């Protein structure tokens, strides 16, 4: 009994129908469907091994597979499974009491054979860019490795809505409009069931996960807007960022997340324009004391500093100019004492005027290269302010988000998670939570 036996049997059923919740006669070796994902894999395993895995009372579920892992399977890495014909890939159910996830068979070449969805039936698909919590080998099966190294790309990132997402309110609204949800304050389990029902109705992979496919199907406007902004940003600046970030722990996706969080509310409506037309308007932050303690706390303190009056004139005019593109600044721009303190697409703070006045007086934020140099420098300094990270030459995804938090608030405590940095009272989200979500999405763009 080999993994190749599983794969060969699976390939004979390509093109057969998918029906969510199908029941299969495991004793029938000639069964031709319909299938759902768990019934398909459990039937294949039974035909080859005569062992029922992931099955209770002749009904298979992904959640049952999770319960059976220790008894029947050995866990391996996703990159290993991508190279092993017949390895099993498993997306776990999201919440206790929900048995629905997704399961597929690796073809050993970076792809799958799976009972995918009503739209695609039993088909070949890709491993990469999808969410898999487990990669498994059956204990009583012999496996061989493929020589296809391209399949190592299976570890590429995926995106999934979790918890208090910036898109969650619109998701709930859409599901209510489509009659899959009866309340705008559902429990996580209620929301997952609504997603499952919507996915089944729409012919998508039924797994209860709010990933890119489901977000696109729901036509979540904010999600599509953020994707377009990321594509514009990367399309214009990726080469320059990759060069500047070389030999640092930082990367294009982190810089994309920071730019989206800091200023895309301004330039997001200007995507048809060139960077030279956009960058002059990337300014913000008009808070005075007592909400601000860093220099300059108000107009008077700025004007007392050498060249401060010239800087105020520039800073006040910048506020007037940006108010034409960001309506949130329209009212405050009418106050003759108000001015901007954040400059550039990454928001270099005016507190640096005391040591770096030329950047502001010469309007260097109009040049992306100047903004990029400043943010790389500030990220390096932010990393040094986190004791456990200050000497590291490479950082994982979680650590990169914490550096971004330190960039925003001065430092970050890893044990506190992402609920750190600026707190948005309206969305009830922290800066770190925004950056984490944007960073994960940027990895897929």
């Amino acid at each position: 009994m080999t993994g190749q036996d599983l794969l060969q049997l699976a390939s004979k059923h390509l093109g057969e129908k998918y029906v969510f919740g199908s029941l299969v006669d495991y004793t029938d070796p000639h069964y031709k469907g319909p299938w759902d994902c768990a019934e398909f894999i459990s039937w294949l395993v039974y035909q080859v091994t005569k062992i029922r895995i992931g099955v209770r009372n002749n009904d298979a579920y992904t959640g049952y597979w999770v319960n059976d892992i220790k008894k029947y399977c050995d866990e391996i890495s996703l990159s290993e499974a991508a190279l092993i014909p017949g390895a099993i890939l498993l997306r776990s159910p999201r919440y206790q009491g929900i048995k629905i996830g997704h399961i597929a068979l690796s073809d050993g070449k970076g792809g799958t054979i799976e009972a995918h969805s009503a739209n695609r039936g039993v088909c070949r698909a890709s491993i990469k860019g999808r969410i898999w919590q487990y990669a498994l080998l059956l204990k009583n099966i012999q496996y061989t490795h493929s020589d296809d190294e391209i399949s190592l790309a299976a570890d590429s990132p995926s995106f999934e809505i979790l918890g208090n997402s910036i898109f969650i309110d619109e998701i709930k609204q859409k599901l209510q409009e489509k009659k899959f949800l009866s309340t705008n304050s559902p429990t996580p389990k209620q929301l997952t069931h609504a997603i499952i029902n919507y996915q089944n109705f729409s012919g998508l992979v039924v797994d209860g996960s709010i990933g890119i496919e489901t977000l696109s199907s729901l036509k979540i406007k904010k999600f599509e807007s953020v994707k377009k902004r990321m594509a514009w940003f990367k399309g214009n600046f990726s080469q320059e960022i990759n060069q500047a970030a070389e030999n640092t722990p930082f990367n294009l996706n982190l810089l994309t997340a920071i730019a989206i969080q800091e200023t895309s509310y301004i330039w997001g409506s200007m995507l048809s324009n060139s960077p030279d037309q956009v960058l002059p308007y990337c300014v913000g932050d008009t808070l005075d004391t007592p909400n601000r303690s860093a220099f300059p706390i108000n107009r008077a303190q700025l004007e007392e500093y050498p060249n401060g009056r010239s800087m105020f004139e520039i800073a006040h005019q910048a506020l007037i100019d940006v108010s034409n593109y960001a309506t949130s600044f329209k009212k405050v721009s009418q106050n003759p004492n108000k001015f901007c303190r954040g400059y550039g697409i990454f928001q270099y703070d005016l507190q640096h005027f005391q040591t770096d006045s030329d950047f502001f007086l010469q309007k260097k934020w109009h040049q992306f290269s100047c903004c990029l140099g400043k943010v790389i420098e500030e990220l390096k300094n932010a990393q040094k302010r986190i004791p456990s990270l200050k000497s590291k030459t490479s950082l994982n995804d979680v650590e990169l988000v914490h550096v971004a938090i330190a960039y925003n608030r001065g430092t970050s405590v890893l044990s506190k998670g992402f609920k750190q940095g600026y707190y948005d009272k309206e969305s009830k989200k922290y800066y770190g939570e925004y950056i984490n979500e944007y960073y994960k999405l940027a990895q897929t763009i």
Side-chain angles (χ1 to χ4, degrees):
M1 298 181 293
T2 68
Q4 195 66 46
D5 292 334
L6 288 170
L7 191 62
Q8 288 176 354
L9 181 57
S11 66
K12 294 179 181 179
H13 295 269
L14 289 167
E16 293 177 358
K17 188 177 182 180
Y18 173 101
V19 173
F20 176 62
S22 295
L23 293 176
V24 171
D25 182 356
Y26 292 95
T27 64
D28 181 2
H30 305 294
Y31 185 78
K32 299 293 183 181
W35 311 93
D36 73 4
C37 66
E39 298 284 351
F40 182 60
I41 300 301
S42 292
W43 182 86
L44 291 173
V45 170
Y46 181 79
Q47 295 306 310
V48 173
T49 68
K50 301 306 177 189
I51 299 173
R52 297 193 184 196
I53 305 176
V55 180
R56 304 291 187 273
N57 299 319
N58 292 323
D59 197 0
Y61 274 102
T62 315
Y64 295 156
W65 267 91
V66 172
N67 294 335
D68 287 348
I69 286 174
K70 289 185 179 179
K71 184 176 181 180
Y72 295 108
C73 306
D74 294 314
E75 292 188 48
I76 58 173
S77 69
L78 182 60
S79 57
E80 287 179 296
L83 293 166
I84 300 176
I88 293 169
L89 305 161
L90 179 61
R91 160 172 185 84
S92 176
R94 293 190 64 185
Y95 296 101
Q96 187 175 4
I98 292 177
K99 298 176 287 186
I100 299 163
H102 193 67
I103 190 167
L105 203 66
S106 170
D107 66 2
K109 299 179 181 180
T112 66
I113 296 180
E114 60 188 274
H116 184 277
S117 60
N119 286 344
R120 296 183 60 181
V122 178
C123 66
R124 294 185 182 275
S126 176
I127 294 174
K128 64 182 179 180
R130 301 169 68 187
I131 299 164
W132 309 103
Q133 274 89 16
Y134 298 98
L136 307 169
L137 299 180
L138 298 175
K139 290 181 178 180
N140 59 335
I141 291 281
Q142 292 183 341
Y143 294 92
T144 58
H145 284 68
S146 167
D147 294 327
D148 187 351
E149 295 184 2
I150 297 176
S151 61
L152 291 174
D155 282 327
S156 66
S158 56
F159 180 76
E160 178 187 22
I161 296 299
L162 294 173
N164 187 23
S165 166
I166 59 174
F167 310 117
I168 198 66
D169 288 340
E170 191 178 351
I171 291 168
K172 293 174 184 176
Q173 180 184 344
K174 288 281 188 177
L175 289 171
Q176 282 186 285
E177 290 173 359
K178 296 176 182 295
K179 309 301 182 185
F180 290 96
L181 197 60
S182 59
T183 173
N184 60 4
S185 300
T187 65
K189 187 178 289 189
Q190 287 173 327
L191 179 60
T192 302
H193 277 301
I195 289 296
I196 287 169
N197 291 332
Y198 173 76
Q199 289 169 333
N200 184 40
F201 176 82
S202 304
L204 308 177
V205 172
V206 181
D207 61 4
S209 166
I210 312 174
I212 287 178
E213 183 183 48
T214 300
L215 286 165
S216 298
S217 175
L218 282 168
K219 295 181 172 57
I220 302 301
K221 291 181 180 179
K222 191 168 187 177
F223 172 73
E224 296 299 332
S225 174
V226 171
K227 284 205 306 178
K228 288 178 181 177
R229 295 176 188 187
M230 287 184 173
W232 180 88
F233 181 86
K234 286 190 172 186
N236 284 292
F237 305 125
S238 59
Q239 184 174 357
E240 198 169 348
I241 290 174
N242 286 332
Q243 290 175 351
E246 192 173 1
N247 300 319
T248 78
F250 315 120
N251 59 45
L252 172 61
N253 294 319
L254 181 67
L255 272 293
T256 301
I258 292 172
I260 293 292
Q261 169 61 14
E262 295 286 355
T263 55
S264 73
Y265 70 96
I266 299 168
W267 51 264
S269 62
M270 306 169 70
L271 301 185
S272 61
N273 297 345
S274 69
D276 288 344
Q277 295 171 309
V278 170
L279 292 173
Y281 301 99
C282 292
V283 295
D285 187 358
T286 63
L287 292 178
D288 287 335
T289 184
N291 293 316
R292 180 180 172 95
S293 57
F295 173 90
I297 60 172
N298 54 29
R299 174 180 179 175
Q301 189 180 57
L302 177 59
E303 291 189 333
E304 287 172 359
Y305 204 80
N307 295 315
R309 289 189 177 181
S310 296
M311 186 64 237
F312 173 77
E313 294 300 324
I314 292 171
H316 181 64
Q317 186 60 49
L319 174 58
I320 294 172
D321 293 342
V322 73
S323 70
N324 294 318
Y325 294 94
T327 56
S328 59
F329 290 115
K330 186 65 72 173
K331 183 176 181 180
V332 71
S333 69
Q334 297 170 6
N335 185 328
N337 295 312
K338 287 290 189 176
F339 59 100
C340 288
R341 292 176 173 80
Y343 290 84
I345 201 164
F346 304 108
Q347 292 291 273
Y348 189 52
D349 196 275
L350 191 58
Q351 64 182 295
H352 298 291
F353 181 74
Q354 295 171 303
T355 56
D356 192 14
S357 61
D358 284 352
F359 178 90
F360 304 97
L361 293 171
Q362 296 176 17
K363 301 181 181 179
K364 291 185 179 180
W365 74 87
H366 294 200
Q367 304 168 46
F368 183 76
S369 59
C370 293
C371 297
L372 180 57
K374 295 302 180 185
V375 73
I376 293 291
E377 179 183 353
E378 286 201 277
L379 286 171
K380 288 179 180 178
N381 291 331
Q383 181 183 349
K384 292 175 184 177
R385 295 194 295 269
I386 304 175
S388 61
L389 303 184
K390 65 180 181 180
S391 61
K392 285 195 169 187
T393 57
S394 64
L395 300 171
N396 62 33
D397 291 348
V398 170
E399 291 167 340
L400 284 170
V401 174
H402 279 283
V403 171
I405 293 170
Y407 170 80
N408 174 253
R409 69 179 292 264
T411 190
S412 183
V413 180
L414 270 65
S415 62
K416 291 185 177 180
F418 299 143
K419 291 182 181 294
Q420 300 180 73
Y422 171 76
Y423 180 69
D424 186 335
K425 293 181 180 179
E426 184 176 347
S427 67
K428 298 180 180 179
K429 286 176 67 70
Y430 288 85
Y431 185 91
E433 293 177 294
Y434 277 111
I435 293 295
N436 181 52
E437 189 160 13
Y438 288 142
Y439 179 70
K440 288 181 178 178
L441 181 56
Q443 290 175 312
T444 71
I445 303 299

